Amino acid sequence: MSPVPPPPLVTVAHSRAAISGRVADLAAFVRHSAPEVPLSKHPLWLDVLRTGLGHEVYALETTASGRTVGFLPLACVSSMLFGRFLVSLPYLNTNGVVAHSADVQAELVARAATLAEELNVRYLELRHEAPIAHSALNASLTSKVHMRLPLPGCSEQLWKGFSPKVRNQIRKGEKGGFSVQWGGAECLDGFHDVLCANMRDLGSPVYGKELFRAILNTFPNDAEICLLHAGDHPVAAALLLHGWGITEVPTASALKEQNPSNVNMLMYHHLLQRAIERGQRVFDFGRSTVASSTFRFKKQWGAIPHPATWQYSVLQGEVGDMRPDNPRFQQVIRVWQRLPVALTRLVGPLIVRGIP
């Protein structure tokens, strides 16, 4: 008897109207795709990006005999300044193809490359961790790594694992008299005030409140803000996303003038404790360039580098055209750092929504 051939693969590009009807099945598929799955892999991020940034979104789904075997979320980032890009997914550090077999991976990449051509974008960007071999993917960036810390079972073990230097910095922060607030939308104004000031100092346009409001509204039980105050004044803030076994911090800021107080160290200690309280096994500090100051900051907590392979199908120009380390942006960054925070708060969201 000849072997039974595998069922044919069917890949569909669900547009906005059809996505809501597929969220439950896609979420269940993603949830069981790995031992730890970040919240950033949840298909509801497509709704967040549509609501919070105005992106057109697509859910590529591959099925076999009616069962989901692959998923690729995509958002079309478009602006008059920079052009159009198809990304999985903007704002988030990791996403891309979720599939267990090479044939399904190839099917999804091929459909995404075709969609990129149909939408006439400059490039397709897939924010992978492990590379996928496909002829349509003709460029990659591997200069950054994910910094992740395996978490112990309790806060006492966490403290014992810190170096004496880290413990002393946390103690100094504790002596500053800062109050700690956890919450959702009620913390959004203070969170955004700190973020706007910090991003201006870094020379980067800031995301608007609408994005963070959409995140908090979409994930009311799994997204929360940590806000530290000096008196009534917010001085440090972070957004935490609690996934399946892993907590990530995609956005965190502290006011530059508070650097001597070590409030940032105090805040990160609270973030790590919060993840442990939630029963998480891993804390994701986000991506950093190897040997950079942010890399060293994360490494001092015990975080371990993990690969980040952002893959591209470049149709127009080059990948480096839109990277912040491109020399042509250095003068713009210096000018931005001298602008009033009130102006960058107003203009920044209009610019950053068009940056992949």
Side-chain angles (χ1 to χ4, degrees), residues 244-266:
W244 298 282
I246 181 170
T247 289
E248 53 192 321
V249 54
T251 299
S253 292
L255 299 183
K256 183 170 63 175
E257 58 266 28
Q258 289 289 338
N259 286 349
S261 73
N262 279 331
V263 67
N264 202 40
M265 295 294 291
L266 177 63

Side-chain angles (χ1 to χ4, degrees), residues 17-289:
I19 290 173
S20 60
R22 298 301 306 147
V23 165
D25 286 343
L26 292 173
F29 172 73
V30 168
R31 165 66 186 88
H32 296 96
S33 63
E36 287 89 31
V37 180
L39 189 66
S40 56
K41 297 275 190 176
H42 199 292
L44 279 177
W45 276 96
L46 294 173
D47 192 51
V48 168
L49 295 171
R50 181 183 61 82
T51 303
L53 293 177
H55 295 328
E56 193 62 44
V57 295
Y58 305 87
L60 304 191
E61 180 184 15
T62 300
T63 59
S65 299
R67 181 175 60 90
T68 302
V69 294
F71 171 53
L72 173 56
L74 293 162
C76 186
V77 178
S78 178
S79 81
M80 295 182 65
L81 276 177
F82 306 116
R84 293 160 63 84
F85 309 85
L86 190 60
V87 183
S88 183
L89 281 171
Y91 176 68
L92 300 169
N93 286 314
T94 181
N95 223 288
V97 171
V98 181
H100 296 303
S101 64
D103 56 340
V104 176
Q105 291 176 342
E107 182 89 6
L108 286 166
V109 171
R111 183 65 186 90
T114 299
L115 181 61
E117 293 179 356
E118 293 169 356
L119 295 173
N120 192 31
V121 300
R122 294 179 63 178
Y123 57 66
L124 165 70
E125 178 179 87
L126 303 178
R127 300 183 174 184
H128 290 147
E129 297 185 28
I132 291 176
H134 196 285
S135 59
L137 301 176
N138 53 17
S140 65
L141 285 176
T142 58
S143 56
K144 293 181 181 289
V145 292
H146 297 283
M147 297 297 287
R148 292 173 179 150
L149 174 67
L151 293 173
C154 65
S155 294
E156 291 77 12
Q157 289 177 310
L158 178 73
W159 181 260
K160 290 177 181 178
F162 294 151
S163 68
K165 178 182 178 181
V166 168
R167 291 184 199 171
N168 289 336
Q169 289 174 321
I170 295 171
R171 290 190 183 106
K172 183 177 179 181
E174 290 173 336
K175 294 176 182 177
F178 301 106
S179 61
V180 181
Q181 179 184 5
W182 291 93
E186 70 276 14
C187 297
L188 185 54
D189 287 346
F191 166 86
H192 202 249
D193 287 345
V194 175
L195 182 61
C196 286
N198 186 57
M199 296 303 288
R200 189 285 308 269
D201 291 342
L202 293 173
S204 297
V206 65
Y207 283 105
K209 283 185 188 178
E210 293 78 9
L211 172 63
F212 301 105
R213 185 177 291 111
I215 294 170
L216 295 168
N217 289 341
T218 302
F219 303 108
N221 299 317
D222 298 312
E224 60 179 341
I225 287 172
C226 179
L227 194 58
L228 276 72
H229 293 84
D232 295 330
H233 186 52
V235 295
L239 173 68
L240 275 192
L241 304 177
H242 303 291
W244 298 282
I246 181 170
T247 289
E248 53 192 321
V249 54
T251 299
S253 292
L255 299 183
K256 183 170 63 175
E257 58 266 28
Q258 289 289 338
N259 286 349
S261 73
N262 279 331
V263 67
N264 202 40
M265 295 294 291
L266 177 63
M267 179 177 70
Y268 268 88
H269 187 216
H270 281 283
L271 300 182
L272 291 166
Q273 289 178 307
R274 191 71 160 190
I276 290 173
E277 290 169 5
R278 297 273 303 215
Q280 303 287 53
R281 296 182 294 275
V282 178
F283 188 91
D284 190 334
F285 285 85
R287 290 192 319 142
S288 292
T289 301

